[in-house]
Amino acid sequence: MKPIQVGLLGIGTVGSGTFNVLKRNQEEIRRRAGRGIEITMVADLDTARAQSIVGSGVTVVNDARAVIANPEIDIVIELIGGYGIAKALVLEAIAAGKHVVTANKALLAVHGTEIFAAASAKGVMVAFEAAVAGGIPIIKALREGLTANSIQWIAGIINGTTNFILSEMRDKGLDFDVVLKEAQRLGYAEADPTFDIEGVDAAHKVTLMSAIAFGIPVQFEKAYVEGITQLGATDIKYAEQLGYRIKLLGITKRTAKGIELRVHPSLVPAKRLIANVEGAMNAVVVQGDAVGATLYYGKGAGSEPTASAVIADLVDITRLHTADPHQRVPHLAFQPDAMSDLLVLPMSEVVTSYYLRLRVADEAGVLAQVTGLLAGAGISIDAVLQREADEVSGEGGTSTDLIILTHDTREGTMTDALSQLQKLPTVLAPIVRIRKEELN
């Protein structure tokens, strides 16, 4: 059978990895897919560099639309990134009857509903395993492997840059700004790391996992997003003393009131496997009603790990290329006419427990004042610790750190209580609030 022909839009880090792995393992891949898969056309603005990667046997152009217009191309891989031209090209490829493989989590998290609807109407597939957690096959696990389960929650370390920074802060006792510069020097962080450190990248990914887990449309605009820029070495140290590690988690959870969709730093018990995921690695825990907790671990980025996911999608499409569209796995796991309109909860309605750190004047009655105010708000305290802050307060007195762990509390209730606490004259600095996730 004639090899299936693939057009590649963008041959940067992931694109070059995809070309090289596909070429290196072509015989193994052919045996699995049932026919050969060949990248026969590449579009990239730097045509000379692209040609040097793919060699003389592949057509290289600087216009992506020339790839889409080629009637010989069966599958288009979009590796340009972003929301702009990438969206237009993906929709044009679908309109031309091409299947699409993409690693573009931002595009799908924001415009996925439109893109998947267009693909369904045209009878083509949009595959996006590489968009979430790099080489970890979490999309296939959620869409197919865990089909029997009612998914209860997902919690993932799905951004390697932030996990590297947090690991270094914990290991070396350094503050965020110092470690960020080191991460940039080593190539773990971009020159502009905003999407990573502010949690946006992780929110794109958890939005896609949430849609697949619960059969809801992609709704990135409803995600709560908080990054790691305000974390200090002090809180990482205190968390460690309490038996916790701080990780930036993407969390989505089914509750009686609706779906939680949030990204923020979390205290995770150090005994949990996911708390021990270090450096730039990724990990996702999925809790299903039948299977219990399952953990998926691996490289979340990089040339060949991400290429592994891209090529897995190419193989899937090749196997199903001639199948009746109704027999294929739906884009978001649930049949398009059976999607749910479950509410995505505002953050104020999320219920979780908390770590609070208050720098207070070291004087009699302060602890009673703080705990009394929390009790008055209906917030139950699990534990209180006091640590010397080694700093002098504005009036020349000493200060101390109060560390409070709470039981489950509604976020809105906690926000109101912290607003009252912050007004106390004995509270000397902005209160630190970090959510606590037991993941059990």
Side-chain angles (χ1 to χ4, degrees):
M1 190 180 290
K2 178 186 172 187
I4 201 156
Q5 294 197 27
V6 179
L8 175 60
L9 311 184
I11 191 159
T13 301
V14 177
S16 58
T18 298
F19 185 85
N20 291 331
V21 173
L22 192 58
K23 184 176 180 181
R24 186 172 74 230
N25 295 338
Q26 60 180 309
E27 179 57 25
E28 196 89 347
I29 290 165
R30 185 193 62 76
R31 289 171 59 208
R32 287 174 169 152
R35 63 191 288 191
I37 301 172
E38 294 179 356
I39 294 174
T40 56
M41 195 170 184
V42 172
D44 197 277
L45 292 177
D46 189 343
T47 53
R49 178 184 161 278
Q51 198 76 68
S52 71
I53 293 169
V54 300
S56 58
V58 177
T59 302
V60 174
V61 295
N62 63 6
D63 180 6
R65 289 185 167 90
V67 176
I68 294 169
N70 185 342
E72 296 296 313
I73 297 295
D74 303 298
I75 306 172
V76 172
I77 305 175
E78 182 275 308
L79 297 176
I80 296 169
Y83 310 104
I85 187 64
K87 178 188 176 188
L89 293 173
V90 165
L91 288 172
E92 287 172 27
I94 291 167
K98 315 288 188 189
H99 303 291
V100 173
V101 174
T102 180
N104 194 335
K105 62 269 183 180
L107 175 64
L108 295 181
V110 176
H111 299 293
T113 301
E114 178 185 353
I115 288 167
F116 297 140
S120 294
K122 195 69 179 178
V124 299
M125 291 172 272
V126 175
F128 54 97
E129 183 66 69
V132 181
I136 304 171
I138 186 62
I139 301 300
K140 184 172 277 286
L142 288 169
R143 289 203 314 182
E144 300 175 47
L146 298 175
T147 280
N149 289 261
S150 173
I151 303 297
Q152 295 165 334
W153 54 262
I154 299 171
I157 296 170
I158 43 181
N159 182 272
T161 299
T162 49
N163 201 54
F164 173 82
I165 290 170
L166 291 175
S167 297
E168 290 289 290
M169 288 174 71
R170 185 179 67 82
D171 286 346
K172 299 177 181 175
L174 300 172
D175 275 320
F176 171 80
D177 291 340
V178 176
V179 178
L180 173 60
K181 287 176 183 172
E182 178 67 2
Q184 288 171 316
R185 187 185 70 79
L186 293 171
Y188 286 111
E190 303 282 350
D192 179 3
T194 307
F195 261 38
D196 294 323
I197 63 176
E198 296 294 355
V200 177
D201 175 77
H204 287 145
K205 295 168 182 173
V206 77
T207 294
L208 292 171
M209 290 194 292
S210 182
I212 295 167
F214 304 122
I216 60 174
V218 289
Q219 298 171 74
F220 171 72
E221 73 281 0
K222 295 182 181 176
Y224 173 80
V225 187
E226 179 184 321
I228 64 169
T229 56
Q230 301 305 310
L231 285 177
T234 299
D235 295 301
I236 289 175
K237 178 185 71 175
Y238 287 157
E240 191 83 3
Q241 292 171 2
L242 291 163
Y244 291 88
R245 301 222 172 132
I246 297 177
K247 296 292 185 182
L248 183 74
L249 294 183
I251 298 169
T252 187
K253 188 180 294 187
R254 187 198 303 265
T255 75
K257 290 185 175 181
I259 303 299
E260 296 178 8
L261 180 57
R262 49 196 171 98
V263 171
H264 51 72
S266 302
L267 268 74
V268 180
K271 62 186 177 183
R272 301 273 181 260
L273 284 172
I274 196 169
N276 294 280
V277 172
E278 300 292 352
M281 301 302 279
N282 280 198
V284 181
V285 180
V286 182
Q287 179 79 22
D289 70 323
V291 75
T294 55
L295 174 71
Y296 307 83
Y297 168 87
K299 291 182 178 178
S303 177
E304 294 204 351
T306 309
S308 168
V310 170
I311 295 166
D313 281 341
L314 291 177
V315 171
D316 271 354
I317 290 174
T318 300
R319 288 168 174 161
L320 295 168
H321 182 53
T322 58
D324 182 331
H326 297 291
Q327 302 303 314
R328 297 170 183 159
V329 180
H331 292 111
L332 296 176
F334 292 75
Q335 295 298 331
D337 60 356
M339 296 295 280
S340 169
D341 59 357
L342 279 170
L343 174 71
V344 175
L345 295 175
M347 193 62 194
S348 60
E349 293 301 315
V350 167
V351 174
T352 189
S353 53
Y354 296 86
Y355 159 102
L356 308 175
R357 178 171 63 82
L358 294 82
R359 183 146 294 174
V360 299
D362 191 7
E363 54 188 61
V366 173
L367 177 58
Q369 192 178 28
V370 169
T371 56
L373 197 153
L374 290 173
I379 297 169
S380 174
I381 294 173
D382 180 32
V384 179
L385 297 92
Q386 189 167 321
R387 294 285 187 269
E388 289 186 19
D390 297 326
E391 288 188 14
V392 177
S393 69
E395 286 70 39
T398 58
S399 63
T400 188
D401 280 340
L402 284 182
I403 299 127
I404 299 172
L405 301 181
T406 77
H407 291 294
D408 281 354
T409 303
R410 192 180 69 91
E411 175 93 5
T413 302
M414 178 60 73
T415 299
D416 291 343
L418 292 184
S419 177
Q420 295 303 309
L421 283 172
Q422 195 69 69
K423 294 173 184 174
L424 296 175
T426 49
V427 175
L428 308 175
I431 297 169
V432 174
R433 160 178 46 184
I434 306 174
R435 297 159 193 93
K436 188 158 67 75
E437 300 292 333
E438 294 295 331
L439 302 184
N440 54 14

